[in-house]
Every structure is written in structure tokens, then in C-alpha cells.
């Protein structure tokens, strides 16, 4: 046994040594490669693939993926396109799309970036094999309409069918299992648990959902009509006819060409006059550094997911301690002049939200302006955080507001009875066992919790009144737990400006009293501190350069057919 143990120890030690040597060799190779940085070609056809959802935050690198960096985030993509718009090497853009699930507000963010790219005098082509295959393709097609031309595979579809909301109501199912929800809230529009407590839509929830769908549908129809040179009535009629075949879509002027992917790329290269296709990730790694001296350095902080107390966020979460530590580091960094906080969350802990709001106020007190850019949502706890900023920027389709409070618990008392399980409870204190799921709230506990929820709601609305400079009575009218679209929130005074990252950066320039065209250096915070992740991400220039060399070797040489702009 001792011999076997020694062999195992030797084997593990050998494997560990080999692993360390491999890491060291790879690090040396990357260092050598970065010392002789590959230069991008003088003529670039930028390409991107937006068929998979773009995230708001960069996740950890996938060790099973040869691509050693996470895919670009929404802000990465927008900043890259804005840099490419000013880059004389970049001649045009081709993006692959599908039905997509980026979210309506992110779709608007991408559309605006493409429109700015085109406004710089460069062409942009969207292509898809289909916008939904016997399914909805609203979002993907909506993004595509920002492009100068849309190419669709001859066998594809345009699933432009309109917007729908479906909500399951599981109260009766839970009741059959002996479960019911014990919920308290402020106020009537706060519907987070309604699908568990009710058997159908409540009047207030139906009212807010109808208003949201009216707003979003209007944005969808208007956006398509403006870019496809159709009337809103024509677009609505096409939506009511949808989904449409490729032939019907072309006849209806929803698409321009019926091309396969290779035909689209060949035509785009002809339009770009000898440019080399370079994907967005390569351009991000090697090519988007703006020339000239930046007027100021701005910290870009990205926060997405459920808001909670504590640290060590995993996945789609905003851990208050982690975010506060990042904000405190920025406050003490003399090189950072301002903060752009990109926020995408449906809410979470009120306590955590208040802690983060306080950190934003401290950052402003340190002389560093804070601008919030809302993504698909910044509601409830997300709006509580946003109140701490100097200015709030949202997309028309951003879901925000939801200024309200809700709390409760599932009650399994009947479930245990059906299962023949009896619980014995011994307490000290009148309300000691009130958070147990084995029993509903007692009358006195319910009264106490309801009072606390009322107190939190009053504090929430008071803070909104102070932060937004609105009368308390007006805030109470537009709060009530109601979710608003960004477009409506701006009309109500809950949001300062409509737009995306570009509008938020313009607000940063104004806050710093800089010229409108002043160059800003974007510094993503927090800086990666995990040594394994940091090393893997240091390999990104290697993977970018290998992709570039591979692209150069495979670039098509044929230059037909060509596009005819509408």
C-alpha cells in the first residue's frame, strides 16, 4: 500500500509540474506574440454574429471552448461599432441575425449603434437564414431594419407576428398540492407573485400590461416603418398577415435580396472593394483603440441580475458588497473621472439596493459624476439604485419604475397534513416562528409585516421625490408598484434621457464640462483579479490573431453579385 501511495503522490506531483510548465510556456508564447502585435489590414469588412444573445456582463471564460475569452457584451459591441464608425480602415459591416433573444431595449441599443455607423458614411448589411422558423422573429427583424439592406435566405421566413404576453396562473395547482402563498404588498400594481396567488389577471396588472404592449408595439411598428420607408399602417397590416415567406417578404419590401450566406458575403466584399472580413471579436482585441489623447478616463461598471446582499455573485446576480467595493475603488482612483453604470435588473433586496444607492452618493460626493444607462430593465430595486445617479438614461423599451414593495412566503401547512407530517414548534418571542413555511402569518405578525412594508414603500417614494425633484403626491400617483416603459418613464420624470450608451457618454461629457466630441477612454471595472481567468483572457490577442490569419487565408475572391441600396 505504501508503494501505491508513493506512486500516486509521484504521479500527481508530475502532472502538477507539467501543468505549471504548460502554463508558463503558454504565457511566454503570448508575451512574445504581444511583443510583435499583428496589425489589422488597411481595408476591413467588419462582421458580427448576433444570433445568440449578447449579455450585459462578461461571464467567465469557457475552458472547453477554444475561444479563450467570453463573447462581447452589449456595451462591448456598441463601443466597438462606434469606434469602427470613426475608423477609416472599416468600410462596411455584415451581421448575421435570426429571431434573437437580446431583449427589446438591447435591440434598440444595437439598432442605434448601426444607424450611427451608417451615418458615418459606411454601409451595413443584415442577413438571416430566417427570422423565426414557424415562430416569432419580431426582435431579429426589428434589429435588421436598422441596416441599409436586408438579405434573407430564399427558403427563409419573416416571423413578424406582433407582441404577445402569456402568464400562467398556478394558484389552483399549488392548492391541489396543499400550498398557498401568503403575500403582502404596496401597491396594487406590484404583481410579482400574482401568478401564484390569483387565478387570472387582476385589473391593475391587466391595465399596466396593456399599456406596456401598446408602447412596445408602437415602437416596433414605428421603427420598422421609418427604416423600410413604409407607413405605420402598412407595417401593422404586414404584422397582421405574418409570418411571411421569403418571396412575400421581398414583394412587401420587408427584405431587399434573397441570398444565401456565401452570396451575401461575396456581394459585401465587392461593395467593400478588396477589404478583408474581420469579426467583431478580433476588432475588439486588436483594432478599436481610438487614436489621439483621451480627454478623460471613465469607469464602465456593468451590473446585471437579481440584487442581493453579500458578495461572491455567481451568474446573473448583483452582489451588493462586490459592487460597493468596486465603486469605492473607483472613488479612490485619481485616474478615473466619472462612472457609467450599466444596469439591467428586475430588482431584488431593498436593503442591498439601498446600500448600493448610498455608495453611488458617496462616489458623487467624491467629485465623480455617475450616469446610469438602463438595459432591458431597471425596475424596483434597480430603480432604487438608479436614484443615486446624477442622470438616468433609458431606452424607449426599457422596463423601469415598479416603485413598490412586496414580500411573503409559501405556506405548506396543508401539504404536511396531506403527507401525514406533523411539526412540533417551540418558540420564545411572539413572532419567533412567523417566517416558517409551515404556517401562515398570525394576525399580529401580518399587521407588523404590513406596517414594515408600508414604511419601506413610504421611504422608497420619499427618496424618489427627493432624487427626481418631484412632489411626493405626484410620486405616489406614478409609483404604486407600476412598471413603465422607458418612453413613458421619461414623460413622467422618472428618467432624464432616452437613448443608450452613446447618450449616457454624452451626459458624462456634459457632467465633466467637456466638448461634445471629446474623446473618452473607457476603463471596465472591476479589473479581473482571478489569476486563472486573467491568464486565460490574456490569451485573447492570440485567439484574435489566429482568427485573423485564418480569415485572410479563406477570404473569397469573387466579387459578384452586388447590392442595390433601396
Amino acid at each position: 500500500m505504501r508503494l501505491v501511495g508513493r506512486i500516486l503522490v509521484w504521479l500527481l506531483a508530475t502532472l502538477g509540474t507539467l501543468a505549471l510548465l504548460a502554463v508558463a510556456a503558454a504565457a511566454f508564447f503570448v508575451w512574445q506574440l504581444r511583443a510583435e502585435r499583428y496589425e489589422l489590414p488597411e481595408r476591413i469588412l467588419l462582421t458580427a454574429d448576433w444570433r445568440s444573445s449578447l449579455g450585459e456582463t462578461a461571464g467567465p471564460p469557457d475552458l472547453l471552448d477554444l475561444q479563450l475569452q467570453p463573447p462581447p457584451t452589449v456595451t462591448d459591441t456598441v463601443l466597438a461599432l462606434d469606434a469602427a464608425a470613426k475608423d477609416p480602415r472599416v468600410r462596411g459591416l455584415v451581421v448575421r441575425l435570426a429571431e434573437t433573444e437580446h431583449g427589446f431595449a438591447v435591440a434598440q441599443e444595437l439598432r442605434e449603434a448601426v444607424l450611427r455607423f451608417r451615418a458615418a458614411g459606411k454601409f451595413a448589411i443584415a442577413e438571416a437564414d430566417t427570422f423565426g422558423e414557424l415562430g416569432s422573429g419580431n426582435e431579429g427583424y426589428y434589429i435588421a431594419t436598422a441596416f441599409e439592406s436586408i438579405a434573407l435566405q430564399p427558403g427563409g421566413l419573416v416571423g413578424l407576428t406582433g407582441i404577445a404576453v402569456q402568464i400562467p396562473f398556478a394558484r389552483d395547482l399549488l392548492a391541489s398540492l396543499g400550498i398557498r402563498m401568503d403575500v403582502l404588498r404596496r401597491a396594487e400594481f406590484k404583481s410579482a407573485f400574482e401568478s401564484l396567488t390569483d387565478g387570472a389577471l387582476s385589473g391593475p396588472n391587466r391595465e399596466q400590461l396593456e399599456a406596456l404592449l401598446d408602447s412596445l408595439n408602437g415602437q416596433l411598428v414605428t421603427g420598422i416603418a421609418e427604416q423600410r420607408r413604409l407607413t405605420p399602417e402598412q407595417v401593422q397590416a404586414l404584422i397582421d398577415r405574418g409570418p411571411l415567406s421569403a418571396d412575400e417578404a421581398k414583394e412587401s419590401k420587408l427584405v431587399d435580396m434573397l441570398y444565401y450566406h456565401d452570396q451575401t458575403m461575396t456581394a459585401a466584399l465587392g461593395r467593400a472593394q478588396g477589404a478583408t472580413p474581420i469579426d467583431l471579436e478580433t476588432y475588439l482585441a486588436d483594432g478599436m483603440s481610438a487614436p489621439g489623447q483621451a480627454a478623460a478616463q471613465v469607469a464602465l461598471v456593468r451590473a446585471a441580475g437579481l440584487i442581493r446582499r453579500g458578495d461572491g455573485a455567481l451568474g446573473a446576480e448583483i452582489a451588493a458588497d462586490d459592487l460597493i467595493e468596486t465603486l469605492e475603488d473607483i472613488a479612490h482612483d485619481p485616474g478615473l473621472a466619472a462612472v457609467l453604470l450599466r444596469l439591467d435588473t428586475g430588482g431584488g433586496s431593498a436593503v442591498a439596493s439601498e446600500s448600493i444607492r448610498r455608495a453611488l452618493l458617496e462616489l458623487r460626493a467624491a467629485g465623480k459624476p455617475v450616469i446610469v444607462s438602463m438595459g432591458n430593465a431597471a425596475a424596483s430595486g434597480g430603480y432604487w439604485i438608479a436614484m443615486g445617479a446624477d442622470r438616468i438614461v433609458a431606452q424607449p423599451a426599457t422596463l423601469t419604475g415598479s416603485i413598490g414593495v412586496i414580500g411573503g412566503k409559501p405556506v405548506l401547512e396543508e401539504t404536511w397534513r396531506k403527507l401525514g407530517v406533523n411539526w412540533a414548534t417551540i418558540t420564545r418571542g411572539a413572532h419567533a416562528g412567523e417566517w416558517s413555511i409551515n404556517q401562515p402569518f398570525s394576525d399580529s405578525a401580518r399587521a407588523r409585516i404590513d406596517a414594515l412594508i408600508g414604511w419601506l414603500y413610504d421611504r422608497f417614494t420619499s427618496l424618489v421625490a427627493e432624487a427626481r425633484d418631484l412632489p411626493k403626491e405626484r410620486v405616489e400617483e406614478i409609483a404604486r408598484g407600476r412598471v413603465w416603459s422607458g418612453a413613458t418613464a421619461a414623460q413622467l420624470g422618472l428618467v432624464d434621457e432616452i437613448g443608450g450608451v452613446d447618450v449616457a457618454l454624452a451626459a458624462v461629457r456634459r457632467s465633466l464640462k467637456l466638448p461634445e466630441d471629446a474623446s473618452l477612454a473607457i476603463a471596465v471595472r472591476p479589473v479581473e483579479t482571478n489569476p486563472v481567468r486573467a491568464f486565460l483572457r490574456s490569451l485573447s490577442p492570440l485567439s484574435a490573431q489566429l482568427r485573423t490569419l485564418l480569415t485572410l487565408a479563406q477570404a473569397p475572391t469573387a466579387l459578384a453579385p452586388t447590392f442595390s441600396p433601396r
Side-chain angles (χ1 to χ4, degrees):
M1 292 297 294
R2 289 183 180 179
L3 179 60
V4 173
R6 289 176 181 175
I7 292 173
L8 287 175
V9 170
W10 175 85
L11 181 60
L12 291 173
T14 302
L15 290 174
T17 302
L18 290 174
L20 288 173
L21 288 173
V23 169
F28 178 76
F29 180 55
V30 170
W31 178 78
Q32 287 287 93
L33 191 61
R34 296 179 89 169
E36 299 179 3
R37 190 177 181 85
Y38 176 79
E39 294 295 331
L40 290 174
E42 287 304 311
R43 289 175 179 264
I44 296 172
L45 174 64
L46 199 62
T47 64
D49 190 336
W50 294 347
R51 291 176 294 179
S52 298
S53 298
L54 294 172
E56 287 288 355
T57 58
D62 187 349
L63 299 182
L64 300 178
D65 191 343
L66 291 178
Q67 180 182 336
L68 298 174
Q69 61 177 352
T73 65
V74 176
T75 48
D76 289 336
T77 301
V78 170
L79 292 171
L81 287 179
D82 284 343
K86 301 173 184 177
D87 189 339
R89 299 173 300 178
V90 178
R91 303 307 172 94
L93 170 69
V94 178
V95 174
R96 300 189 76 172
L97 289 164
E99 46 273 24
T100 79
E101 294 182 357
H102 302 295
F104 205 167
V106 168
Q108 291 175 332
E109 188 93 40
L110 296 174
R111 288 179 92 249
E112 291 166 4
V114 171
L115 291 173
R116 292 194 298 275
F117 182 88
R118 289 178 56 193
K122 305 183 181 191
F123 71 89
I125 302 161
E127 62 153 329
D129 55 2
T130 187
F131 292 105
E133 187 172 8
L134 295 179
S136 175
N138 297 309
E139 183 189 287
Y141 181 74
Y142 179 60
I143 296 172
T145 58
F147 290 74
E148 177 185 328
S149 301
I150 303 175
L152 177 65
Q153 183 172 294
L157 303 171
V158 174
L160 191 59
T161 55
I163 303 172
V165 172
Q166 289 187 312
I167 301 173
F169 288 89
R171 181 191 63 186
D172 294 343
L173 172 62
L174 294 179
S176 70
L177 300 173
I179 303 171
R180 71 179 182 86
M181 296 295 296
D182 205 349
V183 175
L184 300 96
R185 64 183 176 180
R186 293 289 191 285
E188 69 271 28
F189 288 97
K190 198 71 174 178
S191 57
F193 295 138
E194 187 175 278
S195 63
L196 303 177
T197 59
D198 292 25
L201 277 176
S202 66
N205 197 16
R206 178 175 291 278
E207 179 185 338
Q208 74 175 343
L209 288 174
E210 293 278 6
L212 282 172
L213 257 65
D214 284 343
S215 179
L216 297 180
N217 187 68
Q219 294 169 35
L220 175 70
V221 170
T222 301
I224 293 172
E226 288 176 350
Q227 296 304 318
R228 297 306 298 177
R229 300 177 184 174
L230 299 168
T231 66
E233 292 75 19
Q234 288 174 314
V235 173
Q236 188 61 61
L238 289 169
I239 289 174
D240 293 339
R241 276 182 59 197
L244 303 175
S245 70
D247 292 332
E248 291 171 327
K250 188 172 187 302
E251 182 182 353
S252 302
K253 300 181 180 179
L254 292 179
V255 302
D256 300 291
M257 292 79 54
L258 301 184
Y259 282 176
Y260 293 96
H261 172 64
D262 62 298
Q263 292 176 302
T264 302
M265 286 303 300
T266 300
L269 285 166
R271 181 96 178 262
Q273 299 179 343
T276 301
I278 300 295
D279 66 83
L280 181 69
E281 291 172 72
T282 300
Y283 188 73
L284 274 166
D286 273 11
M288 66 170 284
S289 298
Q293 184 68 32
Q297 190 172 28
V298 178
L300 170 60
V301 180
R302 298 179 284 211
L306 177 70
I307 304 165
R308 66 168 178 82
R309 295 159 53 218
D311 58 6
L314 295 173
E317 293 182 325
I318 301 173
D321 289 359
D322 290 341
L323 182 51
I324 290 169
E325 182 180 0
T326 296
L327 297 175
E328 289 174 345
D329 288 345
I330 293 170
H332 294 98
D333 188 335
L336 297 172
V339 176
L340 171 58
L341 175 59
R342 178 72 176 185
L343 198 56
D344 188 359
T345 174
S349 165
V351 173
S353 300
E354 171 65 358
S355 299
I356 297 169
R357 183 189 74 90
R358 167 68 174 171
L360 294 181
L361 294 177
E362 290 294 296
L363 196 55
R364 291 169 59 187
K368 304 196 177 187
V370 178
I371 308 298
V372 162
S373 170
M374 293 179 169
N376 284 319
S380 194
Y383 192 80
W384 193 309
I385 291 172
M387 289 188 299
D390 289 277
R391 292 187 73 76
I392 301 174
V393 178
Q395 289 290 354
T398 297
L399 300 182
T400 189
S402 192
I403 301 167
V405 183
I406 192 166
K409 66 176 182 177
V411 178
L412 275 63
E413 186 178 43
E414 182 65 18
T415 303
W416 300 130
R417 189 190 66 77
K418 290 183 176 183
L419 294 174
V421 177
N422 297 315
W423 289 79
T425 303
I426 301 174
T427 63
R428 295 294 185 272
H431 299 150
E434 293 297 343
W435 290 112
S436 168
I437 61 174
N438 297 334
Q439 62 194 34
F441 293 122
S442 65
D443 290 344
S444 63
R446 173 175 286 276
R448 183 85 284 270
I449 294 168
D450 187 63
L452 289 174
I453 286 178
W455 171 76
L456 273 173
Y457 181 66
D458 182 67
R459 177 169 173 75
F460 199 169
T461 53
S462 297
L463 288 172
V464 173
E466 179 182 353
R468 303 304 303 169
D469 195 22
L470 292 169
K472 180 73 179 300
E473 296 76 16
R474 176 56 176 158
V475 173
E476 289 172 347
E477 289 175 8
I478 61 180
R480 299 158 62 194
R482 182 161 181 168
V483 178
W484 303 100
S485 69
T488 306
Q491 297 170 1
L492 296 174
L494 296 176
V495 165
D496 294 296
E497 297 180 75
I498 292 296
V501 171
D502 65 309
V503 174
L505 288 175
V508 168
R509 291 184 182 92
R510 291 196 303 272
S511 297
L512 296 175
K513 297 181 171 52
L514 296 174
E516 292 182 3
D517 59 350
S519 176
L520 297 175
I522 306 299
V524 177
R525 293 292 184 271
V527 176
E528 183 62 78
T529 56
N530 183 300
V532 175
R533 293 181 183 178
F535 168 70
L536 289 172
R537 286 177 181 161
S538 75
L539 298 179
S540 62
L542 168 61
S543 58
Q545 291 164 20
L546 290 177
R547 286 197 304 272
T548 301
L549 293 172
L550 185 61
T551 302
L552 287 168
Q554 296 178 339
T557 55
L559 298 179
T562 57
F563 287 111
S564 299
R566 295 192 314 280

